[in-house]
Structure formats: C-alpha cells, structure tokens
C-alpha cells in the first residue's frame, strides 16, 4: 500500500478513494466531467444550496422552516467527518451560565426542558438550542393561503395516541394542557354531500373512498399530469402503467399471501425474527412481489417516516408503531391540524406562558402568534 493510500481519512477510504483506478476508468470519468462542464450542470451540493431546495414553505411562522435546511445536511456531514471532536476555533465566551443546556428543540428537547424545570426547582435556568428558525423539529407544520382560507398541514410527525387513563403519558398530556386528548373534530358544514376526509394521514389506509386519487405526471408519460380517482375501486384499470405493474400492485393491495403473525410485544419471538431480516425481504416473501416494484412504488409507504427504504429497514419497523398504541381501538389516533406541532406548541406555552399569544386552550395554542422575542 502506498503512503498516500495508507494516510487516507476513514471516510475517504469508505468512499473507495484508496482503490486502484484503471486508465480507462480515469479517461471515462474525465470525459463525463468535461461533458458536465459543457452543459453547465450544477453539482448536487450546488443544487442543495439553492435557497428554495426544500420547496415552497407557505406563509406564517413556519414558512422558512420547511424541512431540514442545507446547513443541517452540512452539519451532519461535519459530525461524520469528526469536525466537532475538538472545540471549534471561533468559540465566543458569552458569559452566560445555565444549569442545563439542551441541544435540539424537537419534542424530546422540549420535554427534557419541561422535566428539568419541574424537577430542579425555581430559579433554575435551562437553555434549549435549535438550528431552525422555530422549535418543533420533526413536529412542525406549514401554513398556506388558498382562496382566502388558511390551510394548515403537518410536516413530519402527525398522530398522537390516546393513553391509558392516569398513566404517566396521560398525566403528562394533562400537565401541558391536553386534558381531553380525544379531540373533537369539525363536522361537514356545506349543503353538498360530505366529502369523506381522513383525520390523519393513516386512518383511511386500506379503506380509501372513491374520492381518493393517484397523481400520474411526466414520469408516466402524462403531460399535463392527471389526477386519477378511485384507483383501487377501478382495480387500476386504465391507469397509465404496464399490465405487469398493475398485477404486482393489486397483489400488494390484496394483502399477505401467507400467514403474517404480528409481534405482541417488542422482544418476543416474532419481533426478533422480523428484526433479523430487511423489510424488503419480508415483503417479497409475504406478497410475492418484486424488489423493483417495492423500490419504485412502495418505498415511501412501507416503513414510512423512517427516512430510509425497505431495503435497509428491519421488517420490524413496519410493526413497531402499532405496539406503541396502548388502547386497541383505531379511533384512539388523534391529530391536530398541524400534526404534533400542537404538542410542541403546548410544551412551549407551558414552559414560557407568554411565548404564544392567547389562553392555554388547544384552539389558542394552535392559532396563537409566536412571540419570538421571548424565545430568542
Ligand atoms: C415523516 C415522519 C412522520 C412521523 N410521523 C409520526 C407520527 O405520526 N406520530 C409520532 O408520534 N411520531 C412520528 N414520527 C416520529 C417523530 O416525529 C419523532 O420521533 C420525533 O418528532 C423526534 O423528536 P426529537 O425531538 O427526538 O427529534 P427532532 O424532531 O428531529 O428534533 C431535533 C431538533 O434538534 C435540531 N438539532 C439537531 N442537531 C442540532 C445541533 N447540532 N444544533 C442545534 N440544533 C440541532 C434539529 O434540527 C431538530 O430541530 C414521524 C417522523 C417522521 C420523519
């Protein structure tokens, strides 16, 4: 091994930079790079650094906190590269002291701050740091003005579960002002027949009404794109996809083709078996469909919310959330208009009562104005 190869950093070696390169590979990559320069293409890093790379963020307090920003991706790379293992050169001593400093203002950091403040007694100081313009982490929302109506939708975390009465979590909910965790939902008010609407992104999965639709765009040869309603009722007949793909998706939709024992608790035999295989292997076995169908069409659905595909997630990921639901019935799943942003806002209002305008009611905490002066 040459000296330069031996001295490589671990991440460069992981990328294969220590591997020998043939003359042909070298020439091919040089040609590709020259071609890319001629077409004035932008690199992935340049694409990510464009200001709007997270897409339109709507209006209001959350408009510039639309998902994770480019600087957060960079911080992740910095952690991987060991940049933070020594104290940065430009550290400024602000002279401030705190009894507790929490990095991250998501629901974990906010709950940690609440528990710290409750247990450490009066006079304690706790600092919560976050690298977004607003707290919440994955539990954030976006707001949009459509035809004069303010529409609110969750970014990531959507649903919370009703808890056993008097349990630790039920008491925690109550302590932040969520004393009736079974929410009351607005009913249909128009004179037209009611449009069946889902209260959470998940509660109609498997029973989608005819108003449910798929969007087929340019990738499916549709210019302009088309909304295609009632796909399952129509058994995908007429959808712009191949017969083979239609058959595969219908097979998935029909459900497992063999027994699918579900884990009863984390660590039981079924959960350990599922945890030993990928979700993709499990789906191939259970539904008899191809890896390609799973990777192309089902990846965001299966193991949803994990940020990874079924090819790397454990099969247990698909069952784990159900084990968190303490009460059996499905209608225990609850959701604020902005998802668990509501929980984050309730916690912030409990920590600093004037940080969100209005009373400590669900309605006011959801709609109230954030007083950033009290948070910064
Ligand atoms: C798409 C999706 C859907 C989900 N759906 C649900 C659901 O329906 N119900 C449910 O209960 N859970 C759901 N979850 C899981 C839930 O969102 C998370 O478990 C939870 O929000 C995590 O909270 P957290 O505070 O631990 O982390 P995060 O919410 O990630 O918060 C961490 C915060 O710390 C900040 N941060 C990180 N590093 C630094 C740093 N160095 N300096 C400053 N700030 C930093 C981050 O930017 C972020 O704001 C979902 C998750 C996703 C991704």
């Amino acid at each position: 091994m040459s000296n330069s190869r031996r001295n490589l950093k671990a991440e460069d070696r992981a990328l294969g930079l220590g591997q020998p390169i043939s003359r042909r590979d070298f020439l091919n990559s040089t040609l590709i790079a020259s071609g890319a320069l001629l077409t004035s293409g932008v690199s992935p890093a340049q694409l990510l650094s464009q200001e709007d790379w997270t897409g339109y963020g709507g209006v209001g307090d959350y408009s510039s906190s639309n998902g994770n920003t480019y600087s957060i991706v960079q911080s992740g790379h910095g952690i991987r590269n060991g940049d933070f293992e020594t104290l940065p050169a430009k550290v400024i001593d602000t002279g401030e002291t705190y009894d507790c400093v929490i990095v991250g203002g998501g629901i974990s950091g906010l709950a940690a701050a609440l528990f710290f403040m409750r247990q450490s007694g009066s006079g304690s100081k706790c600092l919560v740091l976050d690298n977004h313009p607003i707290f919440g982490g994955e539990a954030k929302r976006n707001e949009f003005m459509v035809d004069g109506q303010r529409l609110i939708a969750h970014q990531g975390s959507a649903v919370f579960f009703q808890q056993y009465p008097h349990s630790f979590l039920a008491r925690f909910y109550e302590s932040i002002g969520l004393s009736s965790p079974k929410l009351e939902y607005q009913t249909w008010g128009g004179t037209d027949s009611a449009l069946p609407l889902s209260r959470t992104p998940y509660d109609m999965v498997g029973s989608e009404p005819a108003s449910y639709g798929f969007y087929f765009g340019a990738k499916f040869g549709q210019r302009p794109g088309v909304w295609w309603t009632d796909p399952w009722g129509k058994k995908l007949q007429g959808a712009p996809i191949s017969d083979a793909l239609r058959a595969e998706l219908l097979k998935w939709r029909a459900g497992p083709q063999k027994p699918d024992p579900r884990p009863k608790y984390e660590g039981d035999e079924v959960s350990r078996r599922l945890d030993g295989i990928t979700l993709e292997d499990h789906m191939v076995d259970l539904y008899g469909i191809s890896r390609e169908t799973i990777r192309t069409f089902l990846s965001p659905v299966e193991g949803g919310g994990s940020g990874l595909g079924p090819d790397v997630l454990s099969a247990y990921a698909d069952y784990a959330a159900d084990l968190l639901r303490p009460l059996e019935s499905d209608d225990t799943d609850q959701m604020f208009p902005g998802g668990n942003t509501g929980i984050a806002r309730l916690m912030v209002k409990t920590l600093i009562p004037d940080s969100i305008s209005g009373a400590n009611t669900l309605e006011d905490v959801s709609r109230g104005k954030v007083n950033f002066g009290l948070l910064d």
Side-chain angles (χ1 to χ4, degrees), residues 72 103-108 130-132 136-138 156-159 202 305 340:
I72 287 165
V103 180
I107 49 177
S108 308
D130 197 277
N131 49 11
H132 283 82
E138 281 301 328
S157 189
V159 180
Y202 311 109
N340 285 332

Side-chain angles (χ1 to χ4, degrees), residues 35-91:
L37 277 178
L38 286 174
T39 56
S40 318
V42 284
S43 70
Q46 285 168 320
L47 267 182
L48 292 176
S49 66
Q50 285 171 7
E51 234 177 48
D52 61 350
W53 76 282
T54 54
Y56 177 58
V59 297
D61 292 338
Y62 292 84
S63 61
S64 55
S65 234
N66 187 23
N68 281 328
T69 59
Y70 181 61
S71 68
I72 287 165
V73 177
Q74 295 291 69
S75 302
H77 289 167
I79 293 170
R80 179 203 60 192
N81 296 346
D83 294 353
F84 305 112
E85 276 158 27
T86 51
L87 208 56
K90 290 189 197 146
V91 173

Side-chain angles (χ1 to χ4, degrees), residues 45-370:
Q46 285 168 320
L47 267 182
L48 292 176
S49 66
Q50 285 171 7
E51 234 177 48
D52 61 350
W53 76 282
T54 54
Y56 177 58
V59 297
D61 292 338
Y62 292 84
S63 61
S64 55
S65 234
N66 187 23
N68 281 328
T69 59
Y70 181 61
S71 68
I72 287 165
V73 177
Q74 295 291 69
S75 302
H77 289 167
I79 293 170
R80 179 203 60 192
N81 296 346
D83 294 353
F84 305 112
E85 276 158 27
T86 51
L87 208 56
K90 290 189 197 146
V91 173
I92 301 163
D93 183 355
T94 62
E96 293 166 273
T97 56
Y98 294 91
D99 301 296
C100 175
V101 176
I102 294 167
V103 180
I107 49 177
S108 308
L110 295 173
L114 257 177
F115 277 92
F116 176 79
M117 292 308 284
R118 282 172 179 168
Q119 289 178 13
S120 62
S122 63
S124 301
K125 273 172 77 183
C126 174
L127 175 69
V128 181
L129 294 168
D130 197 277
N131 49 11
H132 283 82
I134 193 164
F135 56 83
E138 281 301 328
K140 289 210 280 284
R141 70 190 193 198
N142 284 111
E143 300 165 22
F144 304 93
M145 289 306 292
V146 179
D147 294 340
Q149 299 284 333
R150 194 178 199 90
L151 304 184
I152 299 180
H154 66 294
Q155 282 188 16
S157 189
V159 180
F160 68 92
F161 304 132
Q162 246 184 292
Q163 301 295 323
Y164 285 121
H166 312 298
S167 61
F168 170 79
L169 276 178
R171 280 185 283 124
F172 178 71
Y173 282 172
E174 207 168 328
S175 79
I176 58 171
L178 188 55
S179 45
S180 314
K182 192 164 171 60
L183 303 179
E184 270 180 41
Y185 297 90
Q186 193 173 355
T187 48
W188 186 257
T191 47
D192 297 338
S193 54
L195 179 70
L197 289 172
S198 181
R199 285 180 185 163
T200 77
Y202 311 109
D203 69 359
M204 283 190 181
V205 174
S207 62
E208 292 84 357
S211 52
Y212 173 86
F214 285 164
Y215 177 77
F216 292 101
K219 204 169 164 186
F220 295 86
Q222 306 299 305
R223 288 189 187 80
V226 286
W227 273 110
W228 208 72
T229 51
D230 197 18
W232 300 120
K234 292 175 188 156
K235 300 212 175 323
L236 296 174
Q237 288 302 331
I241 53 175
S242 70
D243 288 347
L245 177 58
R246 179 175 306 115
E248 287 258 295
L249 291 174
L250 289 175
K251 244 186 188 180
W252 170 71
R253 173 73 180 178
Q257 309 204 332
K258 47 169 62 174
D260 177 22
R262 307 184 82 77
K264 291 197 171 50
Y265 57 90
E266 187 171 329
D268 68 5
E269 198 190 328
V270 179
S271 74
R272 278 186 280 122
R273 183 182 59 75
L274 291 167
D275 212 20
I277 52 174
T278 67
L279 181 54
E280 186 174 289
D281 283 343
H282 183 54
M283 290 175 69
V284 169
D285 180 49
L286 206 57
Y287 299 99
I289 55 176
S290 72
R291 289 181 196 282
E292 197 192 338
T293 300
I294 296 169
R295 288 183 187 185
T296 315
F297 293 94
L298 305 178
S299 191
V301 186
E302 296 290 342
S306 309
L308 299 168
D311 53 333
V312 293
L313 283 174
S314 111
Y316 180 58
D318 229 19
Y319 301 80
D322 284 344
L323 299 188
L324 294 173
R325 190 182 277 125
L327 306 167
E328 285 290 313
S329 150
D330 267 358
D331 73 354
T332 61
D333 293 12
Q334 306 292 315
M335 185 171 164
F336 293 102
N340 285 332
T341 318
I343 302 277
R345 291 173 76 93
L346 282 167
M347 284 198 274
V348 169
K349 176 99 177 152
T350 308
L351 275 164
I352 308 175
D354 292 332
S355 58
I356 298 177
S357 64
N360 200 7
T361 61
L362 295 186
E363 178 109 4
D364 277 7
V365 170
S366 288
R367 291 173 187 256
K369 188 126 196 64
V370 175

